[in-house]
Amino acid sequence: MPPFDLVIRGARIATASDLVTADLAIRGETIAAIGRALPSGRREIEASGYIVTPGGVDAHCHIEQLAATGLRNADSFESATRAAAHGGTTTVIPFAAQHRGMSLEKVVSEYHEAAERGAIVDYAFHVIVTDPRPQILEQELPPLVRAGHSSLKLFMTYDRLRVEDDRLLDVMWAARRHGCMVCMHAENHGMIAWTSRRLLERGYTAPRYHAVSHPRYGEAEAVNRAIAFSAFLDQPIMLFHLSTREAVEIVHRARGAGHKIFAETCTQYLLLGAADLDRPGIEGAMWMCSPPLREPGDREALWQGLENGTLQLVSSDHAPYRMDETGKLAKGPNPSFKEIANGLPGIELRLPLLFDAMVSSGRMDLCRFVELTAAAPARIYNLHPKKGTVAVGADADLVLWDPALEVTIEQGLRYDNAGYTPYAGRKVRGWPVMVLRRGEVIVEKGELRARPGSGRFLPRTGGEAAKPTGRLAPELDPSRNFGAVLLD
Ligand code: DUC
Ligand code: ZN
Ligand code: ZN
């Protein structure tokens, strides 16, 4: 009986810190050995010339999610995680989205049911809180945190999702008490509302005006405000989907000043731009997401932010809506930009696009690619070292890359249910040719081998990233002023 279930021989194995050429052996669901001339496995894969990375961790994606408008996005857990698996992503963190008036507990249990039915890769949830009434924060949140839900998302914009400043502080305070990370959609609501109204009043309704309607200063203002709230309450935050140079600069200064701020950008903000929305008719809707795609200078600032550590990770923000009456055209064939669902598909192509743009292009090394797409999200959301690395004892979630394989991204060939990709026509070098999840080969030669429902929930505590620094604002310091009263 061979000592291992599977041995991958002679690949270059990349983690966030090391690059070695070695054999890798798997027993059961975990990595059992990494070394030279390892004993045999029941299955052997000759992989010299290939690269092994940890399975991708996509820490921000919307799956089977109900929008405040009543629209559900195009993907089920099955279709989204099938697409994720084909692209080398083996862990996802989608959302359990509360809408006003809803019980948080009920919302989370419904998303659990959907994921248990369909998920093909492993998953955790961020819990979106839109209605932080005392009952929710005091009664419903604590048991959810104990059950392994340790990150929340808050919106600073959208009529039906946004939480007012004092309520944001309530949620952040509750998060601090229970050890949760708080993820923020940081855009100024008033600036978006004011700009949108004036554009529509003047007849500027096409998709390209979506980019204009989310002013860059609106992102800067809200990012500043979120950082101030975080510093005030000493509650770590994750700034989701940063899109502008200004936001990167603000985060750079805040981190330099010692604030515990984390920041994400997404594939589309690195590779696409506002010019993509500028197409005839309604076609630009396929490039509409929020925050919107920006300018070349923003993309350069985001890349620099990833290089110098200001931004820690790249997610997909997969939010698929079809170009039909179930999605982007739900309000009719000729909607104004305000009536079109925001979001792009991207869960499948995040890793191949970034492998090409980071590694094949020579812009970053393999270790940095692994850090930004797997290790950092796993660490920040406390899934590391089970996920996000290649190490003895870690889950055998692995991607085998052919670094020389060139693929042109075609419109019809995706595995999600969006019906299009905003990256059609792009050529990438480097492609995931085999994907393993907990030791099982789930994608091989373009074929999916895993069954819906075989993905597993990953309960987690907030971990190191969600821990306060211990430096409360002076007004809240219990040894001074009225701090003790305010903390009560
Ligand atoms: N925010 C997201 O995080 N994703 C899609 C749309 C949005 O506003
Ligand atoms: Zn958002
Ligand atoms: Zn999102």
Side-chain angles (χ1 to χ4, degrees):
M1 188 72 165
F4 299 119
D5 293 321
L6 195 158
V7 179
I8 301 170
R9 299 212 180 261
R12 278 197 295 152
I13 302 171
T15 67
S17 57
D18 299 299
L19 186 57
V20 293
T21 299
D23 300 342
L24 184 156
I26 295 167
R27 195 179 296 122
E29 297 193 339
T30 56
I31 297 169
I34 298 169
R36 293 270 157 79
L38 292 180
S40 61
R42 276 196 297 117
R43 181 173 178 191
E44 296 263 333
I45 295 169
E46 174 48 51
S48 47
Y50 289 81
I51 291 165
V52 168
T53 64
V57 178
D58 192 344
H60 178 171
C61 46
H62 302 262
I63 302 180
E64 221 168 313
Q65 189 176 323
L66 184 67
T69 52
L71 215 56
R72 200 172 284 279
N73 67 36
D75 270 319
S76 62
F77 271 88
E78 181 178 345
S79 60
T81 58
R82 169 180 76 203
H86 276 284
T89 288
T90 51
T91 301
V92 293
I93 314 185
F95 297 87
Q98 183 201 33
H99 294 290
R100 290 178 188 157
M102 288 181 177
S103 144
L104 212 54
E105 193 260 322
K106 185 153 179 289
V107 163
V108 172
S109 83
E110 284 167 2
Y111 280 90
H112 259 304
E113 274 170 37
E116 273 165 31
R117 246 193 331 268
I120 286 163
V121 303
D122 291 351
Y123 56 92
F125 293 105
H126 302 296
V127 178
I128 292 179
V129 180
T130 57
D131 187 359
R133 51 189 193 273
Q135 147 82 11
I136 298 288
L137 297 185
E138 287 159 24
Q139 313 291 323
E140 296 200 28
L141 184 62
L144 288 174
V145 178
R146 285 196 294 276
H149 302 284
S150 55
S151 50
L152 311 176
K153 180 178 182 187
L154 294 169
F155 285 86
M156 299 171 85
T157 184
Y158 291 117
D159 289 330
R160 282 178 280 200
L161 301 176
R162 78 196 169 104
V163 175
E164 295 289 350
D165 285 358
D166 62 336
R167 294 306 195 147
L168 289 175
L169 291 166
D170 280 342
V171 181
M172 289 168 86
W173 193 242
R176 188 180 197 275
R177 167 168 295 158
H178 299 296
C180 295
M181 176 59 74
V182 175
C183 307
M184 310 284 288
H185 181 125
E187 288 189 280
N188 179 291
H189 184 68
M191 289 164 81
I192 295 170
W194 186 87
T195 316
S196 302
R197 176 165 42 82
R198 290 172 77 87
L199 284 165
L200 295 177
E201 279 168 3
R202 288 157 177 75
Y204 299 107
T205 61
R208 64 194 289 246
Y209 299 109
H210 170 69
V212 184
S213 73
H214 286 240
R216 61 181 51 251
Y217 293 127
E219 184 171 79
E221 186 283 325
V223 162
N224 253 322
R225 183 156 35 106
I227 291 171
F229 288 6
S230 161
F232 177 46
L233 298 185
D234 186 25
Q235 166 59 42
I237 57 170
M238 165 63 73
L239 292 158
F240 264 171
H241 47 49
L242 292 193
S243 66
T244 58
R245 171 182 291 281
E246 287 80 355
V248 176
E249 286 168 357
I250 292 164
V251 172
H252 186 71
R253 276 198 299 278
R255 285 173 60 86
H259 296 304
K260 203 164 174 188
I261 306 294
F262 300 92
E264 165 202 90
T265 191
C266 309
T267 325
Q268 57 268 35
Y269 302 114
L270 295 167
L271 300 183
L272 302 172
D276 286 301
L277 278 87
D278 197 1
R279 295 176 192 248
I282 204 67
E283 201 190 331
M286 291 197 278
W287 284 266
M288 273 182 61
C289 54
S290 280
L293 303 174
R294 305 282 186 186
E295 302 304 321
D298 297 302
R299 294 201 282 286
E300 194 43 42
L302 293 166
W303 278 110
Q304 281 171 14
L306 291 172
E307 280 157 2
N308 68 26
T310 302
L311 309 177
Q312 290 77 52
L313 68 155
V314 186
S315 304
S316 72
D317 198 1
H318 180 73
Y321 294 97
R322 297 178 69 82
M323 278 296 284
D324 62 23
E325 67 290 347
T326 68
K328 300 252 182 201
L329 307 182
K331 292 279 164 68
N334 235 329
S336 76
F337 68 84
K338 250 338 207 197
E339 297 170 313
I340 298 171
N342 293 180
L344 304 185
I347 202 166
E348 180 184 344
L349 293 174
R350 179 184 71 117
L351 289 185
L353 287 163
L354 293 174
F355 187 98
D356 176 68
M358 292 177 176
V359 182
S360 303
S361 73
R363 180 149 201 166
M364 291 178 181
D365 65 16
L366 263 171
C367 295
R368 194 81 193 129
F369 166 75
V370 170
E371 168 70 14
L372 295 167
T373 58
R379 223 181 295 112
I380 291 170
Y381 296 111
N382 205 20
L383 296 166
H384 199 270
K386 190 176 162 72
K387 304 295 188 188
T389 192
V390 181
V392 171
D395 279 0
D397 291 353
L398 302 168
V399 186
L400 192 64
W401 294 84
D402 179 346
L405 186 59
E406 293 194 341
V407 173
T408 300
I409 293 170
E410 289 179 46
Q411 197 58 280
L413 290 183
R414 308 277 54 94
Y415 293 94
D416 65 21
N417 198 25
Y420 77 95
T421 167
Y423 303 100
R426 261 171 208 259
K427 199 170 187 191
V428 296
R429 187 151 48 86
W431 196 259
V433 290
M434 183 183 283
V435 181
L436 288 85
R437 180 216 57 198
R438 283 183 274 108
E440 197 182 329
V441 176
I442 60 167
V443 177
E444 184 171 13
K445 299 200 178 88
E447 298 265 318
L448 185 72
R449 301 262 168 93
R451 105 192 127 67
S454 57
R456 222 178 256 166
F457 174 58
L458 301 164
R460 62 206 165 87
T461 59
E464 216 31 64
K467 278 196 190 131
T469 64
R471 289 190 307 273
L472 275 165
E475 296 82 356
L476 298 180
D477 183 340
S479 64
R480 305 200 205 170
N481 306 323
F482 293 100
V485 176
L486 287 169
L487 287 178
D488 202 13

